[in-house]
Amino acid sequence: DGGITQSPKYLFRKEGQNVTLSCEQNLNHDAMYWYRQDPGQGLRLIYYSQIVNDFQKGDIAEGYSVSREKKESFPLTVTSAQKNPTAFYLCASALNGGPSGQPQHFGDGTRLSIL
Amino acid sequence: EDQVTQSPEALRLQEGESSSLNCSYTVSGLRGLFWYRQDPGKGPEFLFTLYSAGEEKEKERLKATLTKKESFLHITAPKPEDSATYLCAVQAPVGSNYKLTFGKGTLLTVNP
């Protein structure tokens, strides 16, 4: 079955540590996205990529980094510079990121907590 | 700045009691309005895309409608399994790219 796989489901970070969240899709989608979800807030865009080897900052990119070396994969690194990383992280993909109004499809998220 | 406001924040219904959720938006150059369902601890599940005012989409007990300023998600004779958070999002151009702006969601609880 086609879909988006995020791993791990739960992740704990120590002070000063970088952690990487995995996102893999087999939908043959060009565009991929990372969002952060906090209680009582809408999803906020961290980074997005419309094509391999290219990505753009979203609204809250500080303290995060990404790479897009393969079409199927878009890992997110939460660096030690992100002072409030505790949140539910969601990865999404879409056929393309253009003006055609294609829906984004989401994985089941990674919940990151601070130790 | 694009804005999406969902109301009510929470809604509690009895099984079979029909109601509507509202999504009002302020955006320039709407490309699409999306409805999602999100269960606790899961990612949002895509339900509908609406592209232009007057458009309607239906799926089982759900019907989504769109005007120039808002969208409604009508739930007819809901069942307990319809309990979830319903999210609305709008897609619009930002420079040369296109961005989704999400509302905060409506938490729907359907009691048996």
Side-chain angles (χ1 to χ4, degrees), chain B residues 17-45:
Chain B
E17 179 187 1
S18 301
S19 188
S20 297
L21 313 182
N22 178 263
C23 171
S24 63
Y25 62 91
T26 305
V27 67
S28 298
L30 179 73
R31 283 288 183 262
L33 185 142
F34 304 88
W35 282 99
Y36 290 87
R37 170 196 169 122
Q38 186 175 24
D39 293 304
K42 298 285 190 179
E45 174 190 349

mmCIF file of all heavy atoms in Angstrom, chain B residues 17-45:
data_model
loop_
_atom_site.group_PDB
_atom_site.id
_atom_site.type_symbol
_atom_site.label_atom_id
_atom_site.label_comp_id
_atom_site.label_asym_id
_atom_site.label_seq_id
_atom_site.Cartn_x
_atom_site.Cartn_y
_atom_site.Cartn_z
ATOM 1 N N GLU B 17 -27.699 13.391 15.966
ATOM 2 C CA GLU B 17 -27.991 14.826 16.008
ATOM 3 C C GLU B 17 -27.121 15.557 14.979
ATOM 4 O O GLU B 17 -25.918 15.756 15.175
ATOM 5 C CB GLU B 17 -27.710 15.362 17.413
ATOM 6 C CG GLU B 17 -27.954 16.846 17.577
ATOM 7 C CD GLU B 17 -27.504 17.343 18.938
ATOM 8 O OE1 GLU B 17 -26.978 16.544 19.746
ATOM 9 O OE2 GLU B 17 -27.670 18.558 19.197
ATOM 10 N N SER B 18 -27.700 15.984 13.888
ATOM 11 C CA SER B 18 -26.953 16.627 12.810
ATOM 12 C C SER B 18 -26.495 18.031 13.199
ATOM 13 O O SER B 18 -27.163 18.722 13.973
ATOM 14 C CB SER B 18 -27.819 16.705 11.552
ATOM 15 O OG SER B 18 -28.221 15.412 11.145
ATOM 16 N N SER B 19 -25.364 18.460 12.632
ATOM 17 C CA SER B 19 -24.841 19.798 12.910
ATOM 18 C C SER B 19 -23.832 20.195 11.833
ATOM 19 O O SER B 19 -23.598 19.436 10.883
ATOM 20 C CB SER B 19 -24.188 19.824 14.290
ATOM 21 O OG SER B 19 -23.841 21.149 14.654
ATOM 22 N N SER B 20 -23.269 21.381 11.983
ATOM 23 C CA SER B 20 -22.294 21.883 11.014
ATOM 24 C C SER B 20 -21.096 22.498 11.717
ATOM 25 O O SER B 20 -21.234 23.100 12.789
ATOM 26 C CB SER B 20 -22.927 22.954 10.119
ATOM 27 O OG SER B 20 -23.969 22.431 9.355
ATOM 28 N N LEU B 21 -19.928 22.336 11.089
ATOM 29 C CA LEU B 21 -18.709 22.990 11.532
ATOM 30 C C LEU B 21 -18.384 24.096 10.532
ATOM 31 O O LEU B 21 -18.597 23.934 9.323
ATOM 32 C CB LEU B 21 -17.540 21.993 11.578
ATOM 33 C CG LEU B 21 -17.783 20.648 12.257
ATOM 34 C CD1 LEU B 21 -16.510 19.818 12.256
ATOM 35 C CD2 LEU B 21 -18.315 20.839 13.655
ATOM 36 N N ASN B 22 -17.817 25.190 11.039
ATOM 37 C CA ASN B 22 -17.549 26.340 10.188
ATOM 38 C C ASN B 22 -16.060 26.592 10.031
ATOM 39 O O ASN B 22 -15.277 26.406 10.976
ATOM 40 C CB ASN B 22 -18.201 27.588 10.774
ATOM 41 C CG ASN B 22 -17.911 28.832 9.948
ATOM 42 O OD1 ASN B 22 -17.009 29.601 10.264
ATOM 43 N ND2 ASN B 22 -18.646 29.008 8.879
ATOM 44 N N CYS B 23 -15.661 27.009 8.841
ATOM 45 C CA CYS B 23 -14.286 27.417 8.560
ATOM 46 C C CYS B 23 -14.360 28.731 7.772
ATOM 47 O O CYS B 23 -14.771 28.729 6.606
ATOM 48 C CB CYS B 23 -13.565 26.349 7.753
ATOM 49 S SG CYS B 23 -11.940 26.849 7.138
ATOM 50 N N SER B 24 -13.993 29.826 8.402
ATOM 51 C CA SER B 24 -13.980 31.100 7.687
ATOM 52 C C SER B 24 -12.548 31.468 7.344
ATOM 53 O O SER B 24 -11.619 31.172 8.111
ATOM 54 C CB SER B 24 -14.640 32.202 8.524
ATOM 55 O OG SER B 24 -13.918 32.416 9.712
ATOM 56 N N TYR B 25 -12.344 32.075 6.195
ATOM 57 C CA TYR B 25 -10.982 32.319 5.752
ATOM 58 C C TYR B 25 -10.836 33.693 5.111
ATOM 59 O O TYR B 25 -11.778 34.254 4.549
ATOM 60 C CB TYR B 25 -10.532 31.227 4.771
ATOM 61 C CG TYR B 25 -11.335 31.149 3.497
ATOM 62 C CD1 TYR B 25 -10.969 31.869 2.369
ATOM 63 C CD2 TYR B 25 -12.473 30.351 3.430
ATOM 64 C CE1 TYR B 25 -11.712 31.806 1.200
ATOM 65 C CE2 TYR B 25 -13.224 30.276 2.271
ATOM 66 C CZ TYR B 25 -12.839 30.997 1.161
ATOM 67 O OH TYR B 25 -13.579 30.925 0.008
ATOM 68 N N THR B 26 -9.616 34.215 5.206
ATOM 69 C CA THR B 26 -9.228 35.441 4.531
ATOM 70 C C THR B 26 -7.951 35.125 3.784
ATOM 71 O O THR B 26 -6.914 34.865 4.390
ATOM 72 C CB THR B 26 -8.975 36.582 5.540
ATOM 73 O OG1 THR B 26 -10.112 36.754 6.361
ATOM 74 C CG2 THR B 26 -8.663 37.872 4.807
ATOM 75 N N VAL B 27 -8.022 35.106 2.454
ATOM 76 C CA VAL B 27 -6.867 34.715 1.662
ATOM 77 C C VAL B 27 -6.975 35.369 0.295
ATOM 78 O O VAL B 27 -8.064 35.615 -0.205
ATOM 79 C CB VAL B 27 -6.797 33.174 1.544
ATOM 80 C CG1 VAL B 27 -7.962 32.633 0.737
ATOM 81 C CG2 VAL B 27 -5.492 32.733 0.940
ATOM 82 N N SER B 28 -5.836 35.657 -0.292
ATOM 83 C CA SER B 28 -5.788 36.193 -1.648
ATOM 84 C C SER B 28 -5.404 35.094 -2.617
ATOM 85 O O SER B 28 -4.383 34.450 -2.448
ATOM 86 C CB SER B 28 -4.758 37.330 -1.731
ATOM 87 O OG SER B 28 -5.114 38.404 -0.895
ATOM 88 N N GLY B 29 -6.235 34.870 -3.614
ATOM 89 C CA GLY B 29 -5.896 33.879 -4.622
ATOM 90 C C GLY B 29 -6.077 32.440 -4.173
ATOM 91 O O GLY B 29 -5.203 31.601 -4.353
ATOM 92 N N LEU B 30 -7.240 32.129 -3.626
ATOM 93 C CA LEU B 30 -7.498 30.769 -3.129
ATOM 94 C C LEU B 30 -7.310 29.751 -4.246
ATOM 95 O O LEU B 30 -7.893 29.862 -5.326
ATOM 96 C CB LEU B 30 -8.920 30.679 -2.581
ATOM 97 C CG LEU B 30 -9.329 29.314 -2.044
ATOM 98 C CD1 LEU B 30 -8.660 29.029 -0.713
ATOM 99 C CD2 LEU B 30 -10.856 29.223 -1.895
ATOM 100 N N ARG B 31 -6.501 28.725 -3.966
ATOM 101 C CA ARG B 31 -6.296 27.633 -4.926
ATOM 102 C C ARG B 31 -7.080 26.398 -4.522
ATOM 103 O O ARG B 31 -7.380 25.551 -5.366
ATOM 104 C CB ARG B 31 -4.811 27.295 -5.025
ATOM 105 C CG ARG B 31 -4.029 28.282 -5.836
ATOM 106 C CD ARG B 31 -4.358 28.157 -7.327
ATOM 107 N NE ARG B 31 -3.559 29.050 -8.135
ATOM 108 C CZ ARG B 31 -3.992 30.225 -8.569
ATOM 109 N NH1 ARG B 31 -5.191 30.634 -8.264
ATOM 110 N NH2 ARG B 31 -3.198 30.966 -9.316
ATOM 111 N N GLY B 32 -7.373 26.283 -3.240
ATOM 112 C CA GLY B 32 -8.140 25.136 -2.794
ATOM 113 C C GLY B 32 -8.388 25.238 -1.300
ATOM 114 O O GLY B 32 -7.589 25.819 -0.570
ATOM 115 N N LEU B 33 -9.519 24.689 -0.853
ATOM 116 C CA LEU B 33 -9.812 24.589 0.574
ATOM 117 C C LEU B 33 -9.939 23.111 0.894
ATOM 118 O O LEU B 33 -10.623 22.369 0.185
ATOM 119 C CB LEU B 33 -11.095 25.335 0.942
ATOM 120 C CG LEU B 33 -11.421 25.379 2.443
ATOM 121 C CD1 LEU B 33 -11.995 26.716 2.848
ATOM 122 C CD2 LEU B 33 -12.315 24.239 2.859
ATOM 123 N N PHE B 34 -9.256 22.689 1.945
ATOM 124 C CA PHE B 34 -9.149 21.265 2.266
ATOM 125 C C PHE B 34 -9.743 20.996 3.640
ATOM 126 O O PHE B 34 -9.530 21.751 4.578
ATOM 127 C CB PHE B 34 -7.676 20.835 2.269
ATOM 128 C CG PHE B 34 -6.963 21.138 0.980
ATOM 129 C CD1 PHE B 34 -6.354 22.359 0.785
ATOM 130 C CD2 PHE B 34 -6.901 20.197 -0.029
ATOM 131 C CE1 PHE B 34 -5.694 22.649 -0.400
ATOM 132 C CE2 PHE B 34 -6.243 20.475 -1.217
ATOM 133 C CZ PHE B 34 -5.642 21.706 -1.400
ATOM 134 N N TRP B 35 -10.438 19.867 3.763
ATOM 135 C CA TRP B 35 -10.897 19.377 5.048
ATOM 136 C C TRP B 35 -10.173 18.068 5.370
ATOM 137 O O TRP B 35 -10.040 17.197 4.497
ATOM 138 C CB TRP B 35 -12.400 19.124 5.041
ATOM 139 C CG TRP B 35 -13.240 20.360 5.181
ATOM 140 C CD1 TRP B 35 -13.853 21.067 4.190
ATOM 141 C CD2 TRP B 35 -13.575 21.039 6.403
ATOM 142 N NE1 TRP B 35 -14.536 22.134 4.711
ATOM 143 C CE2 TRP B 35 -14.389 22.140 6.069
ATOM 144 C CE3 TRP B 35 -13.267 20.818 7.755
ATOM 145 C CZ2 TRP B 35 -14.892 23.015 7.030
ATOM 146 C CZ3 TRP B 35 -13.774 21.692 8.704
ATOM 147 C CH2 TRP B 35 -14.571 22.779 8.341
ATOM 148 N N TYR B 36 -9.743 17.982 6.635
ATOM 149 C CA TYR B 36 -9.072 16.786 7.130
ATOM 150 C C TYR B 36 -9.751 16.332 8.418
ATOM 151 O O TYR B 36 -10.299 17.138 9.163
ATOM 152 C CB TYR B 36 -7.602 17.064 7.446
ATOM 153 C CG TYR B 36 -6.713 17.317 6.257
ATOM 154 C CD1 TYR B 36 -6.575 18.596 5.720
ATOM 155 C CD2 TYR B 36 -5.975 16.276 5.695
ATOM 156 C CE1 TYR B 36 -5.744 18.829 4.636
ATOM 157 C CE2 TYR B 36 -5.133 16.505 4.613
ATOM 158 C CZ TYR B 36 -5.025 17.783 4.093
ATOM 159 O OH TYR B 36 -4.196 18.012 3.015
ATOM 160 N N ARG B 37 -9.615 15.059 8.694
ATOM 161 C CA ARG B 37 -10.037 14.476 9.976
ATOM 162 C C ARG B 37 -8.775 13.986 10.676
ATOM 163 O O ARG B 37 -7.918 13.349 10.051
ATOM 164 C CB ARG B 37 -10.974 13.297 9.711
ATOM 165 C CG ARG B 37 -11.272 12.469 10.940
ATOM 166 C CD ARG B 37 -11.874 11.126 10.614
ATOM 167 N NE ARG B 37 -11.898 10.297 11.811
ATOM 168 C CZ ARG B 37 -12.985 9.777 12.327
ATOM 169 N NH1 ARG B 37 -14.169 9.953 11.721
ATOM 170 N NH2 ARG B 37 -12.931 9.044 13.421
ATOM 171 N N GLN B 38 -8.639 14.289 11.970
ATOM 172 C CA GLN B 38 -7.482 13.829 12.728
ATOM 173 C C GLN B 38 -7.930 13.116 13.996
ATOM 174 O O GLN B 38 -8.623 13.694 14.831
ATOM 175 C CB GLN B 38 -6.550 14.991 13.081
ATOM 176 C CG GLN B 38 -5.246 14.538 13.737
ATOM 177 C CD GLN B 38 -4.259 15.662 13.982
ATOM 178 O OE1 GLN B 38 -4.654 16.821 14.078
ATOM 179 N NE2 GLN B 38 -2.985 15.326 14.071
ATOM 180 N N ASP B 39 -7.523 11.866 14.129
ATOM 181 C CA ASP B 39 -7.767 11.098 15.346
ATOM 182 C C ASP B 39 -6.604 11.299 16.305
ATOM 183 O O ASP B 39 -5.480 11.597 15.874
ATOM 184 C CB ASP B 39 -7.936 9.620 15.009
ATOM 185 C CG ASP B 39 -9.205 9.361 14.215
ATOM 186 O OD1 ASP B 39 -10.279 9.740 14.704
ATOM 187 O OD2 ASP B 39 -9.122 8.801 13.105
ATOM 188 N N PRO B 40 -6.821 11.117 17.617
ATOM 189 C CA PRO B 40 -5.749 11.348 18.602
ATOM 190 C C PRO B 40 -4.507 10.523 18.297
ATOM 191 O O PRO B 40 -4.587 9.324 18.031
ATOM 192 C CB PRO B 40 -6.397 10.901 19.918
ATOM 193 C CG PRO B 40 -7.852 11.098 19.702
ATOM 194 C CD PRO B 40 -8.105 10.768 18.258
ATOM 195 N N GLY B 41 -3.340 11.181 18.299
ATOM 196 C CA GLY B 41 -2.076 10.486 18.085
ATOM 197 C C GLY B 41 -1.823 10.060 16.652
ATOM 198 O O GLY B 41 -0.877 9.326 16.379
ATOM 199 N N LYS B 42 -2.653 10.529 15.726
ATOM 200 C CA LYS B 42 -2.504 10.171 14.312
ATOM 201 C C LYS B 42 -2.316 11.417 13.456
ATOM 202 O O LYS B 42 -2.575 12.539 13.900
ATOM 203 C CB LYS B 42 -3.771 9.446 13.825
ATOM 204 C CG LYS B 42 -4.057 8.146 14.545
ATOM 205 C CD LYS B 42 -3.121 7.045 14.105
ATOM 206 C CE LYS B 42 -3.560 5.708 14.648
ATOM 207 N NZ LYS B 42 -2.655 4.619 14.184
ATOM 208 N N GLY B 43 -1.885 11.225 12.213
ATOM 209 C CA GLY B 43 -1.794 12.327 11.287
ATOM 210 C C GLY B 43 -3.156 12.636 10.677
ATOM 211 O O GLY B 43 -4.061 11.798 10.690
ATOM 212 N N PRO B 44 -3.333 13.856 10.150
ATOM 213 C CA PRO B 44 -4.594 14.205 9.495
ATOM 214 C C PRO B 44 -4.872 13.306 8.287
ATOM 215 O O PRO B 44 -3.966 12.995 7.516
ATOM 216 C CB PRO B 44 -4.361 15.650 9.067
ATOM 217 C CG PRO B 44 -3.287 16.168 9.970
ATOM 218 C CD PRO B 44 -2.402 14.993 10.213
ATOM 219 N N GLU B 45 -6.152 12.958 8.160
ATOM 220 C CA GLU B 45 -6.603 12.138 7.035
ATOM 221 C C GLU B 45 -7.398 13.030 6.085
ATOM 222 O O GLU B 45 -8.364 13.684 6.493
ATOM 223 C CB GLU B 45 -7.478 11.000 7.541
ATOM 224 C CG GLU B 45 -8.130 10.164 6.439
ATOM 225 C CD GLU B 45 -9.177 9.204 6.990
ATOM 226 O OE1 GLU B 45 -9.247 9.026 8.225
ATOM 227 O OE2 GLU B 45 -9.934 8.628 6.186
#
